[in-house]
Amino acid sequence: MTTALPPRRARSRSEAYRQSLWLLTSRDLRVRYSTSFLGYFWSVLEPLVMAVIYWFVFTQIVQRTIGAEPYIVFLLAGLLPWMWFNGAVGDATRAFIKDAKLVRSTRIPRTVWINRIVLAKGIEFLASIPVIVIFALIFGAAPTWGVLWLPLAVLLQTVLTVGLAMMIAPLVVFFRDLERAVKLILRFLFYGSPIIYGLSDLPDGLELWASFNPLAGIISLYRASFFPDQVEPIAVIIAAGMSLLFLCAGILVFRRMVRSVLKEI
């Protein structure tokens, strides 16, 4: 006598989407670190080296008048989220081109190929947080109530990055020069964002204009964990509005171009 197996519950579209997203994200992370001797430490080595260089320049060579003490913690609080943003936006330029055959041949929602990049870089960012905690302990930077802003900072950066990536990924398929242009813009944006300095360090009148860079308000929220006076309410409000605007624009561009992209790649 045999017993019939109960029918498998059909997965909802959201469950299938989450599973596909996680499978592709975990694949990317495994491939990236499987042949690497240092593995996870590569995700923190670059921002750490950059932070040490800027710390040395602005504390040992140049008489620094920007930032807050301890400056190394101030730097890391801006550099770590920047590496997430920079890596995700930069890799989004190859989201469809790199895996063109899989994008064409699978029925996976095409947004997964973009969101898995943002998620993978976000996981690397979260994995790098212990580094700033270690430096904070070494240099005596005590966490404050501002750590409560951390979830909002992560949420806003996710919304902003996904929106930009959804615009850039399909456009690069038709305008290949855009990939190099994005790299140049990111390089300019690094110095145009309050990473090695704070918004309050800018001259009067320039602070408001700099707040229209959504990264300005987001980075101020990250820094609030150790430097609560760095939070700029106006910059945060502008960052929230612009992040939502970029997300809506990204969805609109993506929906209008995705069919053309599939024919082109």
Side-chain angles (χ1 to χ4, degrees):
M1 181 177 179
T2 59
T3 304
L5 294 174
R8 295 181 63 182
R9 183 176 65 87
R11 293 182 303 169
S12 66
R13 293 183 64 181
S14 61
E15 288 175 334
Y17 189 94
R18 289 196 300 270
Q19 184 177 20
S20 300
L21 177 60
W22 177 246
L23 285 174
L24 288 173
T25 302
S26 57
R27 184 205 68 170
D28 284 354
L29 292 173
R30 285 196 304 269
V31 169
R32 189 172 302 160
Y33 297 122
S34 61
T35 58
S36 171
F37 177 75
L38 292 178
Y40 150 78
F41 292 101
W42 281 115
S43 63
V44 299
L45 189 59
E46 184 176 355
L48 184 58
V49 169
M50 290 177 64
V52 170
I53 292 173
Y54 284 114
W55 172 83
F56 180 78
V57 169
F58 287 107
T59 62
Q60 307 301 313
I61 299 177
V62 179
Q63 187 175 3
R64 178 175 57 87
T65 59
I66 56 176
E69 292 293 343
Y71 189 55
I72 188 70
V73 177
F74 180 89
L75 278 172
L76 285 170
L79 279 170
L80 294 180
W82 165 258
M83 297 303 296
W84 173 15
F85 176 83
N86 181 71
V89 173
D91 286 358
T93 60
R94 302 182 298 276
F96 291 135
I97 299 171
K98 182 180 178 181
D99 296 306
K101 291 183 179 180
L102 287 175
V103 174
R104 286 197 311 266
S105 60
T106 61
R107 299 181 61 184
I108 298 174
R110 272 66 191 189
T111 54
V112 169
W113 298 98
I114 297 173
N115 290 333
R116 53 115 183 186
I117 295 174
V118 179
L119 180 57
K121 294 298 181 180
I123 291 173
E124 290 181 347
F125 163 71
L126 294 176
S128 67
I129 289 180
V131 174
I132 191 172
V133 173
I134 292 172
F135 274 88
L137 292 173
I138 293 174
F139 289 90
T144 69
W145 60 267
V147 73
L148 298 175
W149 290 115
L150 186 59
L152 178 60
V154 173
L155 175 62
L156 289 180
Q157 182 163 352
T158 302
V159 171
L160 174 65
T161 309
V162 168
L164 288 171
M166 290 182 72
M167 279 193 291
I168 292 170
L171 287 172
V172 171
V173 174
F174 299 98
F175 308 100
R176 297 301 176 92
D177 288 342
L178 184 59
E179 181 176 351
R180 294 189 176 184
V182 168
K183 291 181 180 179
L184 290 175
I185 292 171
L186 287 172
R187 189 172 301 176
F188 170 80
L189 192 60
F190 173 82
Y191 293 101
S193 302
I195 298 172
I196 60 178
Y197 56 87
L199 275 177
S200 58
D201 297 318
L202 295 174
D204 293 339
L206 190 58
E207 182 177 342
L208 178 60
W209 289 106
S211 297
F212 282 92
N213 173 0
L215 288 175
I218 293 172
I219 291 175
S220 75
L221 291 175
Y222 283 116
R223 285 195 169 127
S225 298
F226 300 99
F227 311 98
D229 59 325
Q230 290 291 319
V231 177
E232 300 288 346
I234 295 178
V236 173
I237 294 172
I238 293 174
M242 293 191 67
S243 297
L244 290 173
L245 181 63
F246 277 117
L247 179 62
C248 293
I251 293 173
L252 181 63
V253 170
F254 186 86
R255 286 181 175 177
R256 290 192 174 185
M257 297 189 66
V258 65
R259 290 185 180 180
S260 300
V261 167
L262 294 177
K263 294 177 182 179
E264 182 71 18
I265 58 177

